Amino acid sequence: MGFFRKNHSATAAAPTAPAEAGPELAALTGDYALDPTHTTIGFVARHAMVTNIKGSFRDVSGSLHLDGADPSASTAVIEVAMDSIDTGNADRDGHLKSGDFFRTEEFPTMTFRSTGAEALGGDGYRMTGDLTILGTTRPITIDLEFNGAAKDPFGNERVGFEGRAELLRSDWGLTWNAALETGGVLVSDKIKLRFDVSAVKKA
């Protein structure tokens, strides 16, 4: 397991039962492969202190293991090709791939490997794991919502999740910036991550 948020008080509270998975996810167990054409790993950064710049990575892969009976036994591995970054502006994408930021020739992949998971009740879940960028590995927590399961027209059994997380890019050595004449900096340190994941059950 990873490190999850706990509330402490001066008086010890009686232990509570762990939250249960929602009934739909509780019925699912198995191994799934991410569908890259229907999965989005996105991010939002504040630009020039006044607006948000959104981007995503077009080349992602990974796998999930779901354990409906014991959500804490569920795992995830996601790999992102950093050269596939797309913010809708070729010059900006080129800068992000350069030595100022992701150094994609030297570090072509960003990787997330889960270390723990827990059900929060209903369709809410929390997954902790190790995120590796630029060769630096640090923990991160992702809050997830289970969107459902379905069989598509091609007979594939699919599951879907939405996720959110926040990080400080400086924790991974991403420190490039430029000062503004009016005060502040060009690029925020805090980055918001957004996930829309579709995965197909393996045969």
Side-chain angles (χ1 to χ4, degrees), residues 82-85 93-99 102-105:
M82 301 305 287
D83 201 48
S84 71
I85 195 167
D93 293 345
H95 189 199
L96 289 170
K97 296 174 188 179
S98 76
F102 291 119
R103 297 155 56 189
T104 58
E105 290 188 3

Side-chain angles (χ1 to χ4, degrees), residues 43-172:
F43 60 88
V44 180
R46 181 75 74 176
H47 180 261
M49 309 293 290
V50 298
T51 190
N52 289 324
I53 296 297
K54 298 179 181 180
S56 63
F57 297 92
R58 293 176 282 102
D59 186 353
V60 300
S61 60
S63 60
L64 308 176
H65 172 74
L66 301 181
D67 190 324
D70 180 10
S72 68
S74 298
T75 60
V77 175
I78 299 175
E79 293 190 348
V80 176
M82 301 305 287
D83 201 48
S84 71
I85 195 167
D86 183 4
T87 65
N89 181 286
D91 289 340
R92 181 167 55 226
D93 293 345
H95 189 199
L96 289 170
K97 296 174 188 179
S98 76
D100 285 340
F101 286 95
F102 291 119
R103 297 155 56 189
T104 58
E105 290 188 3
E106 184 179 359
F107 300 99
T109 305
M110 174 174 64
T111 304
F112 171 81
R113 296 183 182 275
S114 66
T115 56
E118 64 174 338
L120 301 179
D123 290 329
Y125 303 86
R126 179 168 295 143
M127 182 163 278
T128 57
D130 292 329
L131 180 66
T132 301
I133 308 173
L134 297 179
T136 296
T137 301
R138 294 183 62 88
I140 188 173
T141 299
I142 303 172
D143 287 329
L144 296 165
E145 181 178 354
F146 176 59
N147 283 344
K151 181 172 287 189
D152 67 23
F154 306 100
N156 299 309
E157 296 183 37
R158 290 182 176 271
V159 293
F161 293 88
E162 292 181 50
R164 293 173 178 267
E166 292 186 353
L167 58 80
L168 298 178
R169 62 188 179 91
S170 58
D171 286 344
W172 281 265

